Amino acid sequence: MIEEADFKCLRCGHEFKAPYEKGKIEERFCPKCRSNSVRHIKKKL
Amino acid sequence: MMDVGRHPRIKLLTYSEIEEISGYIGNFRIKIRRKARYVDENECTACDECVEVCPVIVPKEHQMGLASRKAIYIPFPQAVPSAHLIDIEACLGFDPIACSKCAEKCDKNCINYDDKDKIIEFDVGSIIVATGMDVYDPTEFDEYGYTRFENVLTSMEFEILTGPGGVTKGELIRPTDRKVPKSIGFIQCVGSRCEKRGNPYCSNVCCMNTIKDTLLLKEYYHDIECKVFYVDIRASGKGFEDFYRRSKGLGVKYIRGIPGDIREDPKTKNLILTVENTSKGSIEEHELEMIVLSVGLVPRYDSDVIQKLLTLSTTSDGFLMEVHPKLTPIDAPTSGVFFAGCCEAPKDIKDSVTQASGAAARALTILSQDKVKIEAVTSIIDEDKCTSCGICADVCPYGAIIVDKKAKIPAKVIEAACKGCGTCAAECKFDAIRMRHFSDEQIMAQLEAILEENPEEKIVVFACNWCSYPGADLVGISRMQYPVSPRIVRTMCSGRVDEKFILHAFELGAPIVLVTGCHPVDCHYIDAQQWAQRRVERLWDKLERKGIRPERLQLEWISASEVGKFVKTMEELEEMRKKVTREEIEETKRILSKIKK
């Protein structure tokens, strides 16, 4: 299921939302600095 | 096709589908489903008497529904074998009371309604994939009225209409009044070179196909008016520019501009096309009796089947990906598999024939020898450590590892199929896989040498052999400058970068570690790169849990030509490195050594 998720760029620190599908690996990049060091921020329960 | 069918050393299996492919280079085993024809192909003389009595009429697939066929039919005139087959879904004849007219009419008793699919198996040494392509469906370009206006056709439909084997036996007529049109317009690049609709790539063949059509039209119908609406004409092959000039010389008008709208005159059924002529800078209207949409080529609708059967990868366009676009354009990433024609990329007949000749020659190089030379970089299983968990087999992009989890039989590497990406070694939790070359010991020793002195001044970069490492090389060749802190450790694939390499680098005092490799679509090991991404994402969480800033582990996909990206990344990492304090490095070392203990 595709859902909107939070991501953080580990290069410039920019936080943003983007579509996310669990288990799917795709090339992600930061919309601000174009780095691929983009981390999916998991929701804390 | 006839020559191939008659060749004593070629076995042609038409009306068949591949069900399963196993094995590896030189030793493939293929399971094929031979579909039931319901007609004895050896006895049938294609006399057509059965066709005459068959009462069922359905659209003919081979002519895109522009013609019809019977339920008993020959798919196309040149089909091999030249024998009928029954479309059993359309046929009424399973029950003789319902029909069975063809069986009654056939003197040779060729009809067999009880025929069944047959499964046959073959051993082959190499495989050539030549599954072709489909044409783009332009229905989404609503402004062109395709399917709304009968006189708007695609280039493929036009080909069927005008071809000698076509529905009109080569006679050009327009669909609405069955008369020869006095004017025809061709719209180029429909669904090609478009980011928003259709496909972003150029299909390579459409310009020359249109030029050929205009030449044929001018040859057979001297007075016909031909107009071609284009963005730019790509006539880059041998003799193609002459072809283009000949077309213009015969009076074909080339108008630079892509039409924005087509309307139909309800009385005459003529088509009125509005276009911005960008050469003149004016908005023009053209009334034409017929319009042909020059549509591009797309991957076959079922190309994913062969992709899965042979563990192949595709480019972002969906065409099958070769090992290297320049150096090995015919070879598939799976050894012993080669490409011919449009399954690999859109290409014209000449290029397809050239590639097919190359593929045949490449296949022969395998068949003509008893042994095959492979790269020395392969993985080796340590059976004493292997727990038969099967993770290595799951991650191997080539299916080169066999493991029987139930019987707890240790994993086995098929060396002829192994390409040495090292993903299995990196994913094995029990250290039961070692690599020939790029071994753990070699990589660890490199890290120790790099970080022996002043580690806080170094950035450890794990770069893959095919993209990022040549990218770094190209930066040097291009005499570009980047900071002196990065130290590159080459691996065959980013998938080889084991978690323990990264942690060891941090333990030795590395302030920043970068994992870099091919972009996902460029991965030379099908999808091994994805495992690197998964591993880095896992490690970010792990580092954070241990109290180490995940920002210190960086990830970047850099292709061999992205020199600018490589330099920019290194400059950014240098800035990050400067912010990592000695205290933070010492704390990291303390945390990791504590975990080790």
Side-chain angles (χ1 to χ4, degrees):
Chain A
M1 197 180 72
I2 301 170
E3 57 185 38
E4 190 98 315
D6 294 317
F7 290 91
K8 184 184 178 188
C9 174
L10 297 185
R11 185 77 51 85
C12 69
H14 179 57
E15 291 187 17
F16 58 97
K17 285 187 186 294
Y20 173 75
E21 195 177 347
K22 198 176 177 186
K24 190 181 177 188
I25 292 289
E26 56 189 342
E27 183 169 349
R28 295 194 192 96
F29 56 83
C30 168
K32 197 175 164 192
C33 72
R34 312 297 290 178
S35 163
N36 298 123
S37 293
V38 173
R39 187 180 176 206
H40 173 224
I41 307 296
K42 288 162 194 141
K43 284 175 190 166
K44 282 175 188 167
L45 297 170
Chain B
M1 190 82 158
M2 292 291 276
D3 287 346
V4 171
R6 287 173 184 160
H7 197 284
R9 299 187 65 188
I10 299 175
K11 195 165 178 68
L12 187 65
L13 301 171
T14 55
Y15 206 51
S16 306
E17 278 179 9
I18 296 175
E19 295 257 299
E20 196 181 305
I21 300 173
S22 56
Y24 48 90
I25 180 171
N27 293 289
F28 290 110
R29 186 153 191 83
I30 302 179
K31 194 187 272 186
I32 297 163
R33 177 179 292 276
R34 293 212 74 185
K35 294 188 198 169
R37 299 177 69 95
Y38 304 96
V39 179
D40 185 338
E41 63 185 77
N42 297 319
E43 290 297 317
C44 176
T45 56
C47 67
D48 263 6
E49 286 187 16
C50 52
V51 176
E52 284 164 19
V53 296
C54 178
V56 181
I57 298 172
V58 289
K60 193 170 185 178
E61 300 87 349
H62 184 63
Q63 293 186 324
M64 299 184 81
L66 289 176
S68 59
R69 63 165 173 82
K70 297 289 184 73
I72 186 162
Y73 69 111
I74 294 179
F76 54 98
Q78 300 82 17
V80 176
S82 183
H84 289 93
L85 61 96
I86 293 177
D87 173 359
I88 206 67
E89 285 179 15
C91 177
L92 307 171
F94 228 77
D95 178 359
I97 299 164
C99 182
S100 83
K101 287 189 171 68
C102 56
E104 288 163 18
K105 193 73 183 174
C106 183
D107 295 335
K108 297 192 81 180
N109 294 324
C110 298
I111 314 292
N112 173 16
Y113 293 122
D114 298 322
D115 197 5
K116 294 267 187 308
D117 289 1
K118 292 180 189 76
I119 301 290
I120 53 171
E121 292 195 24
F122 274 104
D123 288 327
V124 298
S126 52
I127 295 170
I128 296 173
V129 182
T131 46
M133 75 320 168
D134 282 333
V135 287
Y136 171 71
D137 177 358
T139 315
E140 65 177 320
F141 282 78
D142 192 50
E143 65 270 31
Y144 293 158
Y146 178 66
T147 70
R148 272 191 293 131
F149 307 140
E150 278 185 75
N151 293 330
V152 176
L153 304 174
T154 65
S155 44
M156 185 57 108
E157 288 167 342
F158 185 76
E159 203 68 37
I160 290 165
L161 203 64
T162 54
V167 280
T168 58
K169 308 286 182 220
E171 184 71 22
L172 175 67
I173 54 166
R174 72 171 193 161
T176 48
D177 55 12
R178 308 287 193 269
K179 288 179 183 167
V180 176
K182 293 189 181 75
S183 56
I184 295 186
F186 292 85
I187 302 176
Q188 296 305 108
C189 295
V190 178
S192 299
R193 303 169 67 197
C194 181
E195 295 284 345
K196 290 178 183 165
R197 289 183 296 177
N199 300 295
Y201 54 85
C202 167
S203 285
N204 199 23
V205 299
C206 325
C207 288
M208 295 317 296
N209 184 56
T210 294
I211 293 169
K212 181 263 297 174
D213 284 342
T214 59
L215 283 170
L216 285 175
L217 287 171
K218 283 288 181 188
E219 190 176 329
Y220 291 106
Y221 309 94
H222 307 292
D223 300 330
I224 201 164
E225 188 184 16
C226 292
K227 291 177 179 174
V228 179
F229 301 90
Y230 71 101
V231 184
D232 48 63
I233 293 291
R234 296 189 169 183
S236 57
K238 187 180 178 183
F240 287 2
E241 193 63 29
D242 288 344
F243 217 49
Y244 178 37
R245 279 201 205 105
R246 260 177 62 202
S247 170
K248 284 204 281 193
L250 287 170
V252 176
K253 285 177 187 154
Y254 284 82
I255 297 155
R256 194 164 177 271
I258 291 296
D261 178 52
I262 294 173
R263 285 170 287 128
E264 187 187 60
D265 183 327
K267 282 184 186 170
T268 61
K269 298 289 178 188
N270 284 353
L271 301 153
I272 299 132
L273 173 154
T274 312
V275 63
E276 183 192 355
N277 186 331
T278 56
S279 300
K280 290 182 182 171
S282 59
I283 304 291
E284 297 174 1
E285 279 200 348
H286 297 263
E287 186 168 342
L288 299 154
E289 294 198 354
M290 188 190 257
I291 285 176
V292 178
L293 306 178
S294 191
V295 289
L297 307 182
V298 293
R300 257 187 76 99
Y301 75 98
D302 58 353
S303 62
D304 60 321
V305 175
I306 198 77
Q307 186 200 338
K308 282 174 192 157
L309 285 169
L310 286 166
T311 57
L312 303 173
S313 50
T314 58
T315 58
S316 55
D317 303 330
F319 291 98
L320 297 175
M321 193 161 82
E322 65 287 71
V323 174
H324 193 285
K326 292 172 191 162
L327 304 175
T328 43
I330 296 167
D331 297 40
T334 305
S335 295
V337 180
F338 307 100
F339 299 134
C342 291
C343 62
E344 183 253 329
K347 49 177 78 73
D348 61 11
I349 296 168
K350 182 188 165 191
D351 286 351
S352 296
V353 170
T354 307
Q355 197 184 24
S357 306
R362 294 283 293 119
L364 279 174
T365 57
I366 295 168
L367 301 180
S368 63
Q369 53 194 339
D370 297 331
K371 290 180 180 174
V372 178
K373 279 185 188 173
I374 55 162
E375 287 289 329
V377 188
T378 54
S379 53
I380 306 161
I381 307 281
D382 182 340
E383 292 190 3
D384 295 334
K385 289 183 181 173
C386 180
T387 60
S388 315
C389 68
I391 288 175
C392 52
D394 292 341
V395 303
C396 178
Y398 301 95
I401 301 181
I402 304 164
V403 60
D404 191 336
K405 288 192 237 179
K406 282 184 186 169
K408 287 273 171 193
I409 296 170
K412 192 183 167 196
V413 177
I414 303 163
E415 287 199 50
C418 176
K419 292 282 186 176
C421 65
T423 309
C424 55
E427 283 295 316
C428 180
K429 293 173 185 166
F430 306 97
D431 269 344
I433 303 179
R434 66 183 177 86
M435 300 301 298
R436 271 199 196 94
H437 306 287
F438 299 95
S439 66
D440 286 9
E441 294 77 15
Q442 286 172 322
I443 292 171
M444 291 295 204
Q446 282 185 65
L447 292 174
E448 278 154 25
I450 287 167
L451 300 166
E452 193 178 6
E453 288 178 13
N454 305 324
E456 68 283 355
E457 293 173 10
K458 316 274 175 64
I459 295 169
V460 174
V461 179
F462 292 101
C464 89
N465 182 59
W466 302 101
C467 283
S468 304
Y469 192 84
D473 219 11
L474 192 58
V475 170
I477 293 167
S478 309
R479 299 281 186 270
M480 292 172 83
Q481 302 271 323
Y482 67 91
V484 295
S485 53
R487 296 290 187 276
I488 297 175
V489 177
R490 184 163 66 116
T491 56
M492 287 307 283
C493 176
S494 54
R496 170 72 181 106
V497 183
D498 199 319
E499 184 181 306
K500 69 182 173 219
F501 301 159
I502 296 167
L503 294 178
H504 193 55
F506 282 130
E507 201 186 345
L508 292 169
I512 300 285
V513 174
L514 171 69
V515 176
T516 174
C518 309
H519 290 273
V521 291
D522 298 334
C523 181
H524 282 61
Y525 300 102
I526 303 176
D527 63 354
Q529 172 269 6
Q530 290 190 13
W531 292 99
Q533 186 166 336
R534 281 175 211 268
R535 206 172 300 131
V536 167
E537 287 177 5
R538 244 177 9 228
L539 209 46
W540 280 332
D541 296 342
K542 190 173 178 176
L543 290 173
E544 193 171 56
R545 281 199 303 275
K546 304 289 176 203
I548 301 166
R549 275 195 307 129
E551 285 83 355
R552 290 174 59 194
L553 172 59
Q554 290 284 311
L555 182 71
E556 205 65 51
W557 307 127
I558 305 173
S559 75
S561 60
E562 288 179 311
V563 285
K565 188 174 184 183
F566 186 90
V567 171
K568 178 177 171 274
T569 303
M570 296 309 151
E571 286 170 349
E572 286 171 356
L573 295 190
E574 173 62 4
E575 289 307 309
M576 291 179 83
R577 183 196 67 80
K578 287 177 186 167
K579 289 175 187 160
V580 182
T581 61
R582 278 177 190 273
E583 291 73 29
E584 189 178 357
I585 291 170
E586 288 306 317
E587 177 63 9
T588 303
K589 285 162 88 171
R590 194 189 60 76
I591 293 168
L592 292 173
S593 62
K594 196 177 162 188
I595 294 166
K596 233 178 183 179
K597 280 176 192 169

